[in-house]
Amino acid sequence: MKNLVIVESPAKAKTIEGFLGKDFTVKSSFGHIRDLPSKKLSVDVDNNYKPEYVIPKDKEKLVQELKKLSKEAELVWLASDEDREGEAISWHLQEALGLKTEKTRRIVFHEITKSAILNAVENPRALNIDLVNAQQARRILDRLVGYELSPVLWKKVKPNLSAGRVQSVSVRIIVEREREIEGFQATSAFRVLAFFNVDGMEFRAELSKRFDTLDETRNFISGCKNASFSVEDLQKKPAKRSPAAPFTTSTLQQEASRKLGYGVTKTMKIAQDLYEQGNITYMRTDSVNLSDLAINAAKDEITKLYGAEYAKTRRYSSKSKGAQEAHEAIRPTYMDKQEVKGDAGHQRLYDMIWKRTIASQMEDAQLERTTVNIKVSSSDIGFVANGEVIKFEGFLKAYLEGTDDETEDTKGMLPNMSVGQKLDASKVEGMERFTQPPARYTEASLVKKLEELGIGRPSTYAPTINTIISRNYVVKEGKDGVERQFGYIVLDSKGGIKEEVKTEITGAEKTKLFPTDIGKVVTDFLVENFTEILDYNFTAQVEKEFDEIAEGEKEWTSMIDAFYKPFHLTTVDTAENAKKATGETLLGVDPKSGRNVYSRLGKFGPMVQIGEADNEEKPKFASIPAGTRMEDVTLEEALELFKLPREVGEFEGEKLTIGIGKFGPYVRHGKSYVSLKDEDPMTVTKETAVQLIIAKREEIAKAMINEFKDGADIVQVKNGRFGPYIAVGKKNYRIPKGTEPESLTLEACKEIIAKTPDKPKRGAVRKKK
């Protein structure tokens, strides 16, 4: 074999293989082939922070295969991604495979096209050990923080919790925003609008002042009853709007959230597919730069589609000081390609990337903005109308960037008017409007905030958000709004004034990030005891130091040492001396026993408690239902929870018991437990409980395809979330594609099990960690 090329993903390998000739064999490493083992610290803090890397069991066979192929090859080409993570993958491959420098080449490219791949082969470089060290520094520092902080949380807050350098700061951002919202006091004022009609075109104008009270509003609107309206001043000004820069990882995630409703993980998964298929450039980047080739290709496409007058060459530069992940923005590899293979999700994201890139190389939109001041004869306060007309579409022909501002008014066209012109008001209305609390974060707006604070990098945003959600520090959910009354007064065209109190729904949220009770308690504990670790500026400074390591300006072990020594002393002191954190709140006194009632965080999650542990009588405990926040529980609601577990009758000779457990409300029937789902445990009836039990039995029956007895073992063929699989005890085995699960015999099942590697394949049921 002449040439062995190693990349990190099979999809990338398949695409590259099509560009290289028969002299090249392309193989995948399936990501990292070495890492720090999960069961222990694996960093020698007394030996210059030397890491102990191991090859995971599921990668041993692959490493042996790559070793064999690399020995047979004349040259080995390491072609992992061009960022720090990719450089580290190549370094680990070189170390684990024992590759000799003289027969190893490192090649990088930020798009998977034939010209880019061939150019990379013609221009190989050496491994960049500075990039490797920057990745090692992040990995080791995060391991040290996690391994030292987590046991402190187990001891002082709750078992099985975890903490991390970036994840804990991210949770803090969400907790602080939630507390801003909780402490927000809305104030109201009356907004007055007048509606006019000129030459059949209706437009509205807003009073230049808002009134604090209904009386002031009523007085003004009453004065409008016999008033005249006229154009006092009219100004027209030219304006322009410029296109947004091409996508970075952060802006792609934000825009995909706004326009397509994608979470950051979905966005990055699709973007990675598009990259590996050769459709877009590398998707982890904080650069907005476009190559000359891309700029010229965009110009040709714009001229062809819209005309030469729409094209304008633009060069963008990154605002981010640490821009380092790649050399170009996210763009299509071929500007003349508007469609890609794949499902609708892939096409929609690609279409957005294509439009954004094309728009970035187009002319400004030329606008005319009109401001009309309207005089009211009965008052010295006037109305203002704003309008906007597009004179030349420019880049708007292709694309308009989304916005996170949910209250933004769109400005429409205004009719032709002149100074002194009399106007007739068809309606003047006053409506009570309220100040709004700060918006909760979406995944995308959290990414934007992290980027603004200098925390994390393109490769870390999505994993960080996944971590804080999977560890139940944050939940992603919607929230129902509540009814609110507001004052309304209107003067109609007939001169009649009507007042009424209207209602509206306010506070509804759609897919936002909410901190859990555990997230709040952990954040408070960490802020109190690990001030520096949770400090935004400190976390951003650590990121800058990683950048300096990547640039060869800082030695990585000295950076780790400066961080770790004071941090370690703090963890030891906190473990020994800090108070236990429970988020305890006194709700009141139990009228029956006269003992205090509290809400707090317990071993199994949020709960309420009657009495104290230091009294002769032991305290009583009851779990708070999932979805109810500790701070929202009242004394009355807490006392109701102590009525659980409760019996609602019998079914098939067994008692039906309703309770709340570790995984939420349940009905217990004999030895089986069935989730109550959305049912209220305090009011659920026997009939509903029986229906849930029967439905669960039917669900289990549908899941079971076949069952065999094999000595002491039960071998089951089942339907699961990820398709049919074989279950034996707590182990699951995937059924090969093309095999009819209904046709499997016991012998066929045993054959599949025997051929499956020791590590169980991903099945329908996952072990809970």
Side-chain angles (χ1 to χ4, degrees), residues 538-595:
F538 177 78
T539 308
Q541 180 57 39
V542 170
E543 293 292 347
K544 287 178 184 174
E545 290 183 33
F546 289 148
D547 294 341
E548 288 168 7
I549 294 167
E551 294 295 326
E553 296 168 3
K554 189 181 277 282
E555 201 278 317
W556 75 272
T557 56
S558 61
M559 177 263 180
I560 299 281
D561 195 56
F563 176 100
Y564 177 71
K565 282 181 176 173
F567 167 69
H568 176 68
L569 292 174
T570 305
T571 58
V572 171
D573 179 63
T574 305
E576 290 177 1
N577 302 314
K579 291 180 181 177
K580 203 167 169 59
T582 63
E584 183 177 279
T585 302
L586 177 63
L587 302 178
V589 177
D590 174 24
K592 288 184 180 177
S593 65
R595 304 167 80 195

Side-chain angles (χ1 to χ4, degrees), residues 73-76 94 98-105:
E74 293 175 20
L75 280 178
V76 178
Q94 187 177 51
L99 302 178
K100 294 177 181 177
T101 308
E102 60 269 18
K103 63 174 286 186
T104 306
R105 303 287 184 269

Side-chain angles (χ1 to χ4, degrees), residues 361-523:
Q361 296 302 308
M362 292 177 73
E363 273 286 1
D364 294 332
Q366 301 298 328
L367 315 170
E368 183 181 77
R369 289 186 179 142
T370 304
T371 302
V372 181
N373 293 324
I374 299 170
K375 183 176 174 58
V376 186
S377 63
S378 60
S379 174
D380 57 357
I381 308 169
F383 288 91
V384 179
N386 292 297
E388 189 173 273
V389 177
I390 297 173
K391 294 291 189 181
F392 174 68
E393 284 180 292
F395 76 93
L396 294 176
K397 192 98 173 168
Y399 181 82
L400 175 62
E401 185 181 25
T403 175
D404 289 322
D405 186 354
E406 296 169 2
T407 62
E408 185 181 40
D409 283 334
T410 53
K411 295 172 185 170
M413 290 177 62
L414 293 175
N416 287 322
M417 291 176 275
S418 57
V419 174
Q421 183 176 342
K422 299 293 183 186
L423 301 173
D424 292 322
S426 59
K427 181 172 69 173
V428 180
E429 66 177 19
M431 189 181 298
E432 189 178 13
R433 296 293 80 201
F434 299 84
T435 52
Q436 298 294 319
R440 287 183 175 90
Y441 288 102
T442 61
E443 287 189 10
S445 62
L446 178 60
V447 167
K448 185 178 181 182
K449 183 67 175 178
L450 290 169
E451 188 178 43
E452 286 171 358
L453 292 170
I455 296 168
R457 286 295 179 262
S459 58
T460 65
Y461 299 139
T464 297
I465 291 172
N466 280 346
T467 298
I468 63 177
I469 292 173
S470 67
R471 291 180 177 166
N472 198 36
Y473 289 141
V474 170
V475 290
K476 187 168 73 168
E477 61 186 15
K479 180 188 174 190
D480 293 333
V482 294
E483 263 194 7
R484 176 174 68 190
Q485 293 186 331
F486 64 95
Y488 179 78
I489 180 169
V490 62
L491 167 67
D492 60 30
S493 57
K494 295 177 182 177
I497 293 179
K498 184 171 75 172
E499 287 186 37
E500 59 183 308
V501 175
K502 293 188 173 186
T503 58
E504 62 184 351
I505 300 296
T506 183
E509 299 274 18
K510 186 180 178 183
T511 321
K512 297 289 182 72
L513 298 174
F514 293 77
T516 62
D517 291 327
I518 294 170
K520 288 180 178 180
V521 174
V522 168
T523 296

Side-chain angles (χ1 to χ4, degrees), residues 43 52 114-115 148-150 203 381 402 414 560 566 617 708 767 769:
V43 177
E52 179 202 330
K114 187 170 185 177
S115 59
E148 297 228 350
L149 263 189
S150 298
F203 69 95
I381 308 169
L414 293 175
I560 299 281
E617 190 179 348
F708 309 101
K767 275 188 174 181
K769 290 184 179 178

Side-chain angles (χ1 to χ4, degrees), residues 603-650:
K603 185 177 179 182
F604 299 112
M607 65 178 194
V608 288
Q609 174 180 323
I610 296 177
E612 288 84 10
D614 53 1
N615 287 353
E616 288 182 16
E617 190 179 348
K618 287 184 178 180
K620 294 179 182 177
F621 306 102
S623 295
I624 295 174
T628 303
R629 301 187 306 176
M630 284 198 303
E631 59 259 41
D632 291 341
V633 177
T634 64
L635 175 63
E636 292 73 23
E637 289 168 339
L639 293 173
E640 281 292 308
L641 292 172
F642 285 98
K643 293 178 181 177
L644 296 175
R646 68 187 182 92
E647 291 179 12
V648 292
E650 288 190 2

